[in-house]
Amino acid sequence: MITIKQNSVFLAFLFILMAGIMSCKENVPMDLAQESIIPKPVSIMATNSSFKLEEGLSIYVKGEAEELNQIGQYLAKTLKPSTGFEIEVQSTDKEPGAGNIYLTISDSETELGEEGYELIVTENLISLNADKPAGLIRGIQTLRQILPPKIESTTVEQGPWLIATGTITDYPDYSYRGAMLDVSRHFFGVDDVKRYIDLLTYYKINVLHLHLSDDQGWRIEIKSWPNLTTHGGSTQVGGGEGGYYTQEQYKDIVKYAQERYIIIIPEIDMPGHTNAALASYPELNCDGKATELYTGTEVGFSTLCIKKELTYKFVDDVIRELAAITPGPYIHIGGDESHVTPMEDYIPFINRVQDIVLSHNKIMIGWDEVAHASLKQNSVVQFWAKTENAIKGVNQSAKVIMSPAVKTYLDMQYDSTTTFGLHWAAYIEVDSAYIWDPATFVEGITKENILGIEAPLWTETITKMDEIEYMVFPRLPGHAEVGWSAPDARDWDEYKIRLGKHAERFDALGINYYKSKLVPWVNDQE
Ligand code: TNX
């Protein structure tokens, strides 16, 4: 039996409860641990309430550093189109009031490292802290992914812009997480490359390797050898008009990437894959005759003239000009599929080119074949096909970038019905691209030997941005997770659900993606 006294205690309790609910009606209970973040963070601690992003908020950055102000501006610009909020960026030296976002750099270094971050969301404040500015950019991507998907819309949407509360602590497993774009077989202009950079940024990729020259086209202006682009850049696979980046345009791409803490690695492929150069300058050929421009898709038929001294003057000029406009530490020299360069020529050529790269204070990267040469300290081998080459590299103490064609090649078709792409290495469905561990993929190559992973997109069959997106999505988020999240945190059955939820984000970002049947797409279930 309930007594009157118990009854009034009960009523008082009910009253307090109601008042509580009403006073924080804004703070809808939400579970941060249920959010679909890709790549998967190291740790998420949920506190089961919410923060509401509202008109009038500011982004505060701790201290006066211009770099932090720029990151604040980047965040403000990212949130503007869909919320319609004019967000001010202000510097401060103390924690701001309720409703704001606070970006800080730690006073002393913590376990977060170069790219780690800690995101703390309370009912009152979003604070993002990192040891280094790059960590803030990575953390901002997490913040975007825990906002409603329509935050990515290019037009103003209705809120509420609720974010689940809690703490995310996060840092990458590998320091190098790359993507490659072949702009030689088909040329892609500056705007396409910038869009590609934006899509990479969203998944915390930190390297864009540009394949700038091949048989079909030379795509970067070299002022001391102008015909490379005026002639060598004038066509592409299929005979279209091709194109190239002026050095100013290239610098613009580099700057755009830099603002997102992505490095650009330029590749000049040699001694093979050089027909565009050989067609532009007769003197680069052993017989002194220029070749014809090439618009087909064969590989392995061209070579620079290894015995001519002029070849090395050419390489030195190209690398010198490229190094001067490339702030990142690497220059990629290709070195793959030089089928018409005898090994006794190939080895001294690579050795000499390596010295040229070093003389311009850059680190050389080459496809796995370069391991036949004598690698200097710090040179990097990019494994794509032959495990024995990669092992040769490791035996010379080189670090390896893992790009196994059977897992990471974005030009490989998903299955036999895919319209674009090739399948010489494999058909690569979304699960296959995700289910592998770089550190155990090649026997004899362990985590200590590995710099990171990279997913290349060759474009013999890819002609426009829509097609790039179709081949890249949804495999790229998986590669990003393989590079960022530790192997024991990765599980396909759990990942595919998170990926399925990104469909709404792909839609808001306007991404043309392949709707693999293996993924439970959330926009199919509505
Ligand atoms: C092999 S991967 C190549 C490229 C082709 C690609 C097509 C590599 C280092 N060389 O020249 O575009 O296959 O998938």
Side-chain angles (χ1 to χ4, degrees), residues 261-514:
Y261 294 82
I262 289 180
I263 60 163
I264 298 289
I265 299 182
E267 176 185 354
I268 298 297
D269 202 347
M270 54 193 151
H273 292 276
T274 42
N275 186 69
L278 297 168
S280 305
Y281 286 97
E283 60 270 38
L284 289 178
N285 294 270
C286 284
D287 65 4
K289 292 196 193 107
T291 59
E292 293 294 313
L293 290 171
Y294 181 70
T295 60
T297 59
E298 294 296 311
V299 296
F301 59 87
S302 56
T303 183
L304 289 174
C305 187
I306 307 301
K307 296 189 171 69
K308 270 195 178 175
E309 203 42 41
L310 181 70
T311 297
Y312 302 93
K313 159 104 174 72
F314 166 74
V315 172
D316 187 65
D317 287 341
V318 170
I319 304 286
R320 175 172 35 76
E321 288 195 32
L322 254 188
I325 53 176
T326 303
Y330 303 106
I331 299 271
H332 201 304
I333 60 131
D336 58 313
E337 298 173 319
S338 295
H339 300 325
V340 294
T341 322
M343 196 51 88
E344 64 266 29
D345 287 348
Y346 178 85
I347 291 173
F349 175 82
I350 298 292
N351 285 340
R352 224 171 138 179
V353 171
Q354 176 173 244
D355 287 340
I356 292 172
V357 171
L358 287 169
S359 77
H360 297 293
N361 298 315
K362 296 293 178 189
I363 299 170
M364 182 189 85
I365 307 181
W367 295 107
D368 59 48
E369 290 94 324
V370 301
H372 289 288
S374 306
L375 299 176
K376 297 254 166 86
Q377 205 189 354
N378 295 332
S379 289
V380 176
V381 170
Q382 184 164 12
F383 166 65
W384 67 283
K386 288 216 169 119
T387 51
E388 64 265 33
N389 289 345
I391 303 267
K392 262 199 183 105
V394 165
N395 289 343
Q396 300 188 63
S397 313
K399 289 267 194 225
V400 179
I401 296 167
M402 295 296 285
S403 300
V406 295
K407 289 289 177 189
T408 66
Y409 270 30
L410 293 165
D411 63 322
M412 291 298 121
Q413 293 166 324
Y414 295 98
D415 64 24
S416 62
T417 68
T418 309
T419 325
F420 332 103
L422 307 170
H423 55 258
W424 63 262
Y427 290 115
I428 309 179
E429 250 296 353
V430 186
D431 58 345
S432 173
Y434 180 83
I435 304 171
W436 68 290
D437 177 1
T440 57
F441 192 76
V442 177
E443 215 184 302
I445 300 186
T446 58
K447 188 149 187 228
E448 303 79 75
N449 309 128
I450 299 174
L451 193 57
I453 86 158
E454 186 178 296
L457 179 63
W458 302 99
T459 58
E460 285 96 331
T461 62
I462 316 288
T463 61
K464 41 181 192 281
M465 193 65 201
D466 256 14
E467 297 168 2
I468 291 184
E469 290 174 16
Y470 187 81
M471 298 310 282
V472 169
F473 285 92
R475 288 182 290 200
L476 181 90
H479 296 310
E481 182 150 309
V482 170
W484 182 283
S485 314
D488 56 5
R490 296 199 306 265
D491 171 60
W492 166 253
D493 287 321
E494 181 271 333
Y495 170 72
K496 72 180 180 194
I497 295 166
R498 265 183 296 129
L499 180 61
K501 293 196 181 141
H502 274 232
E504 291 172 303
R505 294 175 190 275
F506 297 162
D507 289 341
L509 289 161
I511 297 173
N512 177 37
Y513 62 101
Y514 162 62

Side-chain angles (χ1 to χ4, degrees), residues 53 57-59 73 75-76 79-80 83 85-89:
L53 207 71
L57 91 151
S58 292
I59 295 168
Q73 298 292 353
L75 175 56
L79 300 176
K80 166 98 203 275
T83 61
F85 302 163
E86 290 288 349
I87 305 175
E88 257 189 72
V89 179

Side-chain angles (χ1 to χ4, degrees), residues 116-127:
Y117 63 91
E118 184 177 59
L119 176 63
I120 305 173
V121 182
T122 67
E123 292 176 352
N124 293 323
L125 193 69
I126 296 176
S127 352

